[in-house]
Amino acid sequence: MPAEAVTWQSIHAEVLRRIRDRTWPPGQVLPHDDKLAAEFGCARGTVSRALRELADVGILDRRRKAGTRVAVSPVRKATLEIPVIRKEIEARGGRYGHMLITREILPPPLHVRSALDLPDDTPLLHLMALHLSDDAPWCLEDRWIDLRTVPALADVDLRRISANQWLVENVAYTAGTLALSATAADAEAAEALRCPEGAALFVIERATFLNDRPITFVRQKHPPAFRMTTSV
Amino acid sequence: MPAEAVTWQSIHAEVLRRIRDRTWPPGQVLPHDDKLAAEFGCARGTVSRALRELADVGILDRRRKAGTRVAVSPVRKATLEIPVIRKEIEARGGRYGHMLITREILPPPLHVRSALDLPDDTPLLHLMALHLSDDAPWCLEDRWIDLRTVPALADVDLRRISANQWLVENVAYTAGTLALSATAADAEAAEALRCPEGAALFVIERATFLNDRPITFVRQKHPPAFRMTTSV
DNA sequence: CAGTGGTCTAGACCACGGT
DNA sequence: CCGTGGTCTAGACCACTGT
């Protein structure tokens, strides 16, 4: 048997195996990094790297002085990728299209003020737009933009480039929130998405900020067939 | 001015600042790790650690020989936490309750066979259960379990402990898929969740495996007020 | 082929947080 | 207080991949 190279990945896999084995059941304290390094025949840094990765995904609980334990309630974390809609559609083999429905300057409704943490009802740029995949409605977008944070957007022709894409290419946000929910299609959504009124729509809401200044709040309604998937 | 300690976090923050500044715009090639280490006055390993974290979340693109670039299409990644339902309810301050509606052994329908990659229609354990928060319906769970993978579950009294909880505590899955969608409430869901038929429900579907052997497929329907949130 | 990031090492100091 | 993980260093070798 050849002396296998000890990599952090190999330690990661071995530790995971012992956890799944229940060699180390939930709540169990693992040997200290030094002990494990001796057992695996490697430096402490290598063990540390492996265990840190497991702690990052919630499988281990590492604390100074207390040591490393197998997490009791493994709060599994799933990562969702939030691509630009255009890329998402093209990745699925569709031809991307975009239609600006309305563009106006309006005082924001309460839920927008709340999401963007706006102290008053200073008017924002409001857009309604439809994203299309092969000319079929992909999602109806209801967006509010604070032009005080991104003044350059005021001069952009949003019929040619979607606000979504312009923002991604021109503003790197520093913080954001994401909410997923389901809602029934109102008349406007039903018409735009060509689905019956009352149909169950998948809703993605995002608020983004640039150094605590609000950039945009967007609500995207997807037709009933839409699914978001990931693997864990 | 004291000589600040150079930590990987400080480099992480500084690089992020330069990206947001557009000092390094999307597509820009960064100086090599050695150069940056010299600039920041630290070891290459420290720079490497900082840049790796940024690459992990899709902000940088690091490749051997090609160097490090600012990602052009920042596919932002959001991480969703998938807790045990009981913990989720208790974390929100609710009192958890659980009701087993049906328990039977049945051949699985096609969508279950497909999700679990089952070659035939060998009967599985099928459960319908309702999770409650302060006696109000929280979610209707439709679960299929392959007892060949988890035979011990056959003898568990699922009226006392939910399958959800038993599985989390007793089986560490090795792989899984997650899908989120929206659907209209059918008569059964409407009655269980005390909402009108046709209401928009938020649906979470999960399939989990233990070393390529199917464990369970579960579809959880949440009433219209349900939201999943995270920050980025 | 050759340049660049990926990783390992051995040792050191330090920050956090149980006891 | 003092044990344990977190991090930095300086150097080395290696794997991947663009040219």
Side-chain angles (χ1 to χ4, degrees):
Chain A
M1 47 189 278
E4 286 294 326
V6 178
T7 63
W8 70 263
Q9 290 95 333
S10 68
I11 295 175
H12 179 100
E14 173 60 17
V15 170
L16 209 43
R17 200 185 60 71
R18 293 188 190 177
I19 292 172
R20 289 173 176 159
D21 272 347
R22 316 213 127 221
T23 302
W24 292 330
Q28 174 83 226
V29 179
L30 271 61
H32 303 156
D33 291 17
D34 290 326
K35 294 263 187 199
L36 287 174
E39 181 195 332
F40 291 122
C42 67
R44 181 163 74 95
T46 309
V47 170
S48 175
R49 171 75 191 272
L51 298 189
R52 179 162 44 77
E53 300 272 333
L54 290 167
D56 282 346
V57 297
I59 291 175
L60 290 179
D61 185 20
R62 264 160 93 71
R63 266 177 303 176
R64 286 157 154 141
K65 174 79 181 183
T68 304
R69 294 165 173 272
V70 179
V72 181
S73 304
V75 177
R76 301 302 290 240
K77 289 170 185 159
T79 62
L80 290 178
E81 302 201 340
I82 315 291
V84 185
I85 291 184
R86 172 179 204 136
K87 299 279 178 190
E88 185 178 8
I89 288 173
E90 289 173 350
R92 297 191 187 207
R95 182 170 39 78
Y96 176 73
H98 168 256
M99 235 175 72
L100 184 60
I101 300 172
T102 65
R103 180 194 192 284
E104 47 197 348
I105 307 282
L106 284 180
L110 203 56
H111 73 272
V112 174
R113 285 181 55 184
S114 157
L116 290 178
D117 205 18
L118 294 167
D120 55 43
D121 61 354
T122 302
L124 304 184
L125 176 60
H126 177 233
L127 307 171
M128 291 288 300
L130 191 61
H131 298 272
L132 307 160
S133 172
D134 288 329
D135 298 321
W138 174 262
C139 104
L140 176 64
E141 173 173 308
D142 177 350
R143 184 184 290 273
W144 296 81
I145 301 169
D146 192 331
L147 291 175
R148 290 168 298 183
T149 310
V150 283
L153 185 56
D155 303 320
V156 174
D157 181 357
L158 294 170
R159 287 165 303 185
R160 298 188 56 89
I161 182 173
S162 77
N164 188 319
Q165 193 176 344
W166 189 90
L167 285 168
V168 167
E169 290 176 359
N170 293 276
V171 185
Y173 63 87
T174 54
T177 62
L178 177 73
L180 308 176
S181 58
T183 194
D186 56 20
E188 182 183 28
E191 188 196 339
L193 297 174
R194 295 182 212 156
C195 67
E197 209 169 319
L201 306 180
F202 190 87
V203 182
I204 303 176
E205 290 171 344
R206 272 181 295 168
T208 57
F209 301 84
L210 180 60
N211 301 325
D212 295 328
R213 297 172 58 193
I215 302 174
T216 188
F217 172 80
V218 60
R219 177 179 283 164
Q220 295 167 334
K221 296 182 178 176
H222 292 263
F226 183 83
R227 291 164 67 85
M228 255 182 132
T229 62
T230 186
S231 54
V232 186
Chain B
M1 47 189 275
E4 287 295 328
V6 178
T7 63
W8 70 262
Q9 289 96 333
S10 68
I11 296 175
H12 179 101
E14 172 60 17
V15 170
L16 209 43
R17 201 185 60 69
R18 293 186 189 177
I19 293 172
R20 289 175 177 158
D21 273 347
R22 316 214 126 220
T23 302
W24 291 330
Q28 173 82 227
V29 179
L30 271 61
H32 302 156
D33 291 17
D34 290 326
K35 295 263 187 198
L36 287 174
E39 181 195 333
F40 292 121
C42 68
R44 181 163 74 95
T46 308
V47 170
S48 175
R49 171 75 190 271
L51 299 188
R52 177 162 46 77
E53 300 271 333
L54 290 167
D56 282 346
V57 296
I59 290 176
L60 289 180
D61 185 21
R62 264 160 92 69
R63 267 178 302 174
R64 286 158 155 140
K65 172 79 181 186
T68 303
R69 294 164 172 274
V70 180
V72 181
S73 302
V75 177
R76 302 299 292 237
K77 288 171 185 158
T79 62
L80 291 178
E81 302 200 339
I82 315 291
V84 184
I85 290 183
R86 172 178 205 137
K87 300 277 179 192
E88 185 178 8
I89 288 172
E90 289 172 350
R92 298 191 186 207
R95 182 171 38 79
Y96 176 73
H98 168 256
M99 234 176 71
L100 184 60
I101 301 173
T102 64
R103 181 195 191 282
E104 48 198 349
I105 307 282
L106 284 179
L110 203 55
H111 73 272
V112 175
R113 286 181 54 185
S114 156
L116 290 178
D117 204 18
L118 294 167
D120 55 46
D121 61 353
T122 303
L124 304 185
L125 176 60
H126 177 233
L127 306 172
M128 292 288 300
L130 190 61
H131 299 272
L132 307 159
S133 172
D134 288 330
D135 298 323
W138 174 263
C139 103
L140 177 63
E141 173 173 308
D142 177 350
R143 185 184 289 273
W144 296 81
I145 300 167
D146 192 331
L147 290 175
R148 290 169 297 183
T149 310
V150 283
L153 184 56
D155 303 320
V156 174
D157 181 358
L158 294 169
R159 287 165 302 185
R160 299 189 56 90
I161 182 173
S162 76
N164 188 319
Q165 193 176 344
W166 188 90
L167 285 168
V168 167
E169 289 175 2
N170 292 275
V171 185
Y173 61 87
T174 54
T177 61
L178 177 73
L180 308 176
S181 58
T183 194
D186 55 21
E188 182 183 30
E191 189 197 338
L193 297 173
R194 296 184 212 154
C195 67
E197 209 170 318
L201 306 180
F202 190 87
V203 182
I204 303 176
E205 290 171 344
R206 272 181 295 168
T208 57
F209 300 83
L210 180 61
N211 301 325
D212 295 327
R213 297 172 59 192
I215 302 173
T216 187
F217 172 81
V218 60
R219 175 179 285 164
Q220 295 168 333
K221 296 183 178 175
H222 293 263
F226 183 82
R227 291 164 66 85
M228 256 181 132
T229 62
T230 186
S231 55
V232 185

